[in-house]
């Protein structure tokens, strides 16, 4: 059991995806899903919720990266939790109007939309419900008021494809101190958790900068906790980078996804 803990205030800030066609991906995540385009810097599009400082999603254009469409890559799927049924309903209505292919799943406590973005990244959007729902109910609940994702919306789950589940689990639990629970590896008291799916795929070994898809995960972390992490990784003799100001620490996991810890 890992004795290390990232701290109770450490939280996921950004999911970064390497893309081929940034404009098409912006149109999808802004106009259909409801992210707000916060800014564009060179090849980077910064997107978030209506909260001023949120940067939940980065889209980094990389025309030279290989797409490997149709292949099993590092990302299995992302799960985006939205704040209410009304918000999910408006997303569904926009997708329906655009005739975008989706799968709808319901149970007694959740309503989920499953779909694939224009560059084959799997996305799941859900919210909690208090009663049984149907596709018709979801459409009827749409008011058109939620054109942008609310402050309560956030990426709650990243599910990874791995070639060796033991190796990736060790990274999450033994190195970063994620807690092993039923649904995956959880970050302390935060809702964010990671799931693992073991598969055989040579594409997973391709370096992140050479392939489209999930590029890195960025977390906000306190000054105390980033120093604790630096000390712990040094004791384990793990390779990592930390800048001179001790403001950003990065480390690669077993499948080559970069994890950023940024002092906040």
């Amino acid at each position: 059991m890992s004795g290390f803990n990232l701290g109770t205030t450490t939280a996921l800030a950004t999911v970064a995806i390497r893309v081929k066609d940034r404009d098409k991906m912006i149109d999808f995540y802004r106009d259909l899903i409801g992210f707000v385009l916060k800014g564009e810097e060179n090849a980077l599009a910064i997107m978030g919720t209506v909260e001023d400082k949120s940067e939940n999603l980065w889209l980094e254009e990389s025309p030279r990266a290989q797409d490997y469409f149709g292949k099993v890559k590092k990302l299995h799927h992302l799960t985006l939790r939205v704040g209410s049924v009304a918000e999910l309903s408006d997303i569904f209505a926009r997708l329906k109007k655009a005739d975008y292919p989706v799968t709808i799943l319901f149970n007694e406590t959740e309503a989920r939309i499953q779909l694939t973005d224009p560059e084959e990244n799997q996305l799941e959007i859900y919210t909690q419900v208090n009663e049984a729902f149907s596709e018709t109910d979801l459409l009827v609940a749409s008011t058109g008021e939620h054109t942008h994702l609310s402050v309560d919306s956030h990426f709650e789950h990243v599910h990874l494809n791995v070639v060796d589940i033991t190796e990736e689990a060790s990274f999450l639990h033994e190195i970063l101190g994620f807690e092993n629970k039923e649904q995956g590896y959880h970050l302390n008291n935060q809702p964010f958790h990671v799931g693992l799916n073991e598969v055989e795929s040579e594409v997973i070994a391709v370096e992140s900068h050479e392939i489209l898809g999930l590029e890195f995960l960025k977390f906000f972390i306190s000054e105390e906790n980033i120093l604790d992490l630096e000390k712990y990784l040094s004791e384990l003799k793990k390779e990592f980078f930390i800048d001179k100001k001790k403001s950003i620490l990065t480390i690669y996991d077993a499948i080559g996804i970069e994890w950023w810890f940024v002092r906040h």
Side-chain angles (χ1 to χ4, degrees):
M1 178 178 291
S2 174
F4 181 73
N5 191 296
L6 281 169
T8 57
T9 60
T10 300
L12 178 70
T14 305
V15 174
I17 299 176
R18 189 175 293 277
V19 304
K20 180 75 73 175
D21 189 330
R22 185 181 57 176
D23 290 340
K24 181 183 287 188
M25 292 287 274
I26 288 173
D27 289 347
F28 171 81
Y29 281 101
R30 178 189 59 199
D31 301 337
L32 296 183
I33 305 304
F35 279 101
V36 179
L37 180 61
K38 300 299 183 78
E40 297 181 72
E41 299 176 5
N42 299 320
L44 183 66
I46 300 169
M47 311 192 80
T49 67
V50 292
E51 182 186 11
D52 287 344
K53 296 182 179 181
S54 66
E55 296 184 0
N56 308 68
L57 179 66
W58 286 5
L59 303 174
E60 184 170 2
E61 190 171 55
S62 183
R64 295 182 180 179
Q66 298 300 308
D67 55 60
Y68 290 97
F69 289 153
K71 303 292 185 180
V72 175
K73 297 190 283 187
K74 302 176 196 293
L75 179 64
H76 186 279
H77 71 268
L78 287 170
T79 299
L80 174 70
R81 179 169 180 169
V82 297
S84 66
V85 171
E87 191 170 355
L88 187 73
S89 298
D90 282 350
I91 294 172
F92 181 49
R94 291 193 295 270
L95 292 165
K96 195 77 172 177
K97 183 177 181 180
D99 198 26
Y100 202 93
V102 301
T103 298
I104 307 296
L105 299 175
F106 302 97
N107 60 37
E108 294 180 353
T109 60
E110 297 174 350
R112 292 180 180 267
I113 301 173
Q114 294 179 337
L115 68 163
T116 304
D117 76 14
E119 295 194 358
E120 296 189 355
N121 300 293
Q122 302 294 320
L123 182 65
E124 187 174 67
I125 310 168
Y126 90 103
T127 194
Q128 297 286 332
V129 298
N130 296 320
E131 58 185 351
F133 255 71
S134 69
E135 186 172 323
T136 300
D137 293 331
L138 202 56
L139 279 176
V140 169
S142 174
T143 64
E145 296 178 2
H146 298 275
T147 55
H148 302 302
L149 293 177
S150 72
V151 66
D152 295 321
S153 299
H154 57 271
F155 285 117
E156 187 174 88
H157 178 69
V158 174
H159 207 96
L160 302 175
N161 290 315
V162 300
V163 292
D164 186 335
I165 200 167
T166 301
E167 191 175 8
E168 186 70 18
S170 177
F171 172 82
L172 293 169
H173 181 58
E174 302 296 336
I175 297 177
L176 295 185
F178 276 59
E179 186 177 356
N180 186 3
K181 295 183 179 180
E182 183 178 352
Q183 294 181 324
Y185 293 84
H186 291 245
L187 176 59
N188 303 322
N189 63 340
Q190 302 292 332
F192 177 71
H193 57 286
V194 180
L196 303 178
N197 182 50
E198 191 170 73
V199 295
E200 292 185 7
S201 173
E202 294 181 355
V203 177
I204 294 175
V206 177
E207 294 188 16
S208 295
H209 69 277
E210 297 179 350
I211 185 173
L212 302 185
L214 182 61
E215 184 178 3
F216 63 83
L217 303 171
K218 183 178 77 171
F219 297 79
F220 286 144
I221 190 169
S222 71
E223 180 178 7
E224 178 184 0
N225 291 140
I226 198 172
L227 294 176
D228 287 344
L229 179 57
E230 177 193 20
K231 179 181 178 182
Y232 185 64
L233 294 175
S234 297
E235 290 173 350
L236 293 178
K237 295 182 170 53
K238 296 295 181 181
E239 291 187 6
F240 66 94
F241 165 82
I242 188 166
D243 69 336
K244 293 181 179 179
K245 294 182 179 180
K246 311 289 186 178
S247 61
I248 179 170
L249 184 152
T250 65
I251 185 172
Y252 287 92
D253 67 11
I255 59 170
I257 297 298
E258 192 171 19
W259 294 60
W260 294 18
F261 294 93
V262 179
R263 193 178 67 204
H264 186 60

